[in-house]
Amino acid sequence: MLQPSAAFMSNARPRQVAHWLFVVAGLIVAMVVVGGITRLTESGLSITQWKPISGVIPPLTDAAWQAEFDRYKQIPEYRAFNQNMDLAGFKAIFFWEFAHRLLGRVIGIAFALPLLWFAIKRRIPAGYGWRLTAILMLGALQGAIGWWMVASGLSVRTDVSHIRLAVHLCTALVILAGTVWTALDLLHLDRKGAFAAPARLVPLGALAIGVLFVQIVWGAFTAGLDAGYAFSTWPRMGDTFFPANVPMLAPLWSNAVDNPVVVQFIHRWLAFVAAAALIALAVAVTRTGSRAGFVVTGLVTLQIFLGVATLLTGVKIDIAVAHQANAALLLIAAVTAAHRLGRRAVG
């Protein structure tokens, strides 16, 4: 007679669960792209209420649209920048924020319902239920973080807090990384059988992914402060490596977070620190026979070119969105490479 754990494994379908997780990961990448468009089109404050259930339905009548527009007129952003906006202009910015929130709900359903089905059918391999539940809970928290971010721009500020924006983006990417890592563990389990150990995060992988996350944080600061518009030249900022006579904030350390010029400067050059760490990861994983290193190298190179192009074009929306989307793809590639090294580390 099978032991309970063996019976559970006999019903488990790690490959099916992994494929589902890859679909969710794709949706998260789409969410990052739509979030980037929402930020770049200044659409994020167009919906001034958080209605997790009824908010899935957009305004359907002229009166409902006017009421939504009237609520938007009450916030500082409208009074400061958009007093000449008409209802058609409001509908244009409303679209992107609505799409962003709707996609968030779709991701929640696409994760929660299959997870419940897999659990009922006992398709989840032993030891993975807690991990999938943690990702689900982090996704629920992400919705609250999104509203916390929006709320920062509804009363005093004319935009959302760049710090809260960074928290929102990084939480999405933590969910993405955790989803991909778990899917890769499940594929390895499917290939090697019930005794395959999950990969562990080796120091080089942790370093590369960690530095990439730091760079992404400063990318979020750059977006949130509109720091990308400060200087549209490269490699110099204007005529010098670092512009002279830049007003500095007190205390001095706050310039690294709150001063748009300093934030752009850090984001420019931290990119090469992140690139060096990622290339080191790529070299290490290539030596194992994996092609993931070539993907990491290609995406790192593309990301630097997209970053420079974003500056030189004055933050042209399509290039800036491609820059953000490629960051998510680069994270997936780095996680894949680190996972390969982690599998070798556990044998």
Side-chain angles (χ1 to χ4, degrees):
M1 181 175 179
L2 290 173
Q3 296 298 317
S5 59
F8 185 76
M9 282 302 302
S10 70
N11 292 325
R13 297 293 184 271
R15 179 169 291 273
Q16 290 181 9
V17 178
H19 288 169
W20 156 62
L21 291 176
F22 283 129
V23 171
V24 172
L27 289 172
I28 296 172
V29 172
M31 183 74 161
V32 170
V33 171
V34 174
I37 297 173
T38 302
R39 172 58 197 167
L40 289 163
T41 56
E42 304 289 348
S43 302
L45 295 176
S46 58
I47 303 178
T48 60
Q49 296 178 317
W50 189 31
K51 298 178 178 179
I53 305 300
S54 61
V56 72
I57 302 174
L60 299 176
T61 65
D62 290 342
W65 273 113
Q66 190 60 52
E68 199 73 48
F69 190 21
D70 288 341
R71 282 190 286 270
Y72 176 66
K73 290 179 179 179
Q74 303 304 310
I75 70 172
E77 180 183 79
Y78 173 82
R79 295 193 296 269
F81 303 117
N82 291 328
Q83 291 195 41
N84 294 324
M85 177 179 284
D86 58 13
L87 184 59
F90 173 72
K91 288 181 178 180
I93 64 171
F94 183 96
F95 170 81
W96 287 112
E97 176 63 9
F98 179 78
H100 188 55
R101 296 191 187 194
L102 181 62
L103 186 53
R105 293 179 173 93
V106 169
I107 293 172
I109 293 171
F111 197 97
L113 292 186
L115 176 61
L116 179 62
W117 186 88
F118 282 128
I120 291 173
K121 295 294 185 178
R122 302 177 69 83
R123 297 291 190 257
I124 301 172
Y128 285 86
W130 67 269
R131 200 191 301 190
L132 295 171
T133 301
I135 294 172
L136 176 65
M137 298 305 295
L138 192 57
L141 176 63
Q142 175 71 335
I145 291 172
W147 175 247
W148 174 66
M149 177 190 69
V150 169
S152 67
L154 296 180
S155 57
V156 178
R157 300 173 58 100
T158 59
D159 57 2
V160 301
S161 163
H162 60 289
I163 294 175
R164 297 188 187 188
L165 174 66
V167 173
H168 187 51
L169 176 60
C170 286
T171 303
L173 295 179
V174 167
I175 295 170
L176 176 61
T179 300
V180 171
W181 189 280
T182 301
L184 293 171
D185 271 345
L186 287 164
L187 286 182
H188 182 59
L189 178 65
D190 181 71
R191 287 192 296 265
K192 299 297 183 180
F195 297 102
R200 66 179 180 87
L201 187 58
V202 299
L204 179 57
L207 174 66
I209 293 172
V211 177
L212 176 58
F213 261 98
V214 173
Q215 171 66 354
I216 289 171
V217 167
W218 258 266
F221 290 164
T222 301
L225 291 169
D226 292 325
Y229 298 99
F231 288 90
S232 58
T233 55
W234 193 91
R236 295 184 175 187
M237 299 178 76
D239 296 325
T240 58
F241 180 66
F242 184 84
N245 303 318
V246 175
M248 289 293 173
L249 306 174
L252 188 62
W253 63 264
S254 66
N255 287 279
V257 175
D258 297 324
N259 187 321
V261 174
V262 178
V263 165
Q264 191 195 111
F265 179 82
I266 292 173
H267 189 53
R268 283 174 174 235
W269 300 111
L270 184 58
F272 293 92
V273 178
L278 289 163
I279 294 299
L281 174 64
V283 170
V285 77
T286 300
R287 288 173 177 167
T288 70
S290 171
R291 296 181 179 179
F294 296 106
V295 177
V296 170
T297 302
L299 291 175
V300 166
T301 304
L302 178 59
Q303 186 69 352
I304 290 174
F305 276 108
L306 286 172
V308 173
T310 299
L311 288 174
L312 295 180
T313 59
V315 194
K316 191 176 179 181
I317 287 182
D318 53 352
I319 296 176
V321 170
H323 184 52
Q324 184 161 320
N326 194 68
L329 297 178
L330 177 55
L331 175 62
I332 292 173
V335 166
T336 302
H339 189 273
R340 176 60 183 260
L341 293 181
R343 288 209 315 266
R344 287 178 64 86
V346 297

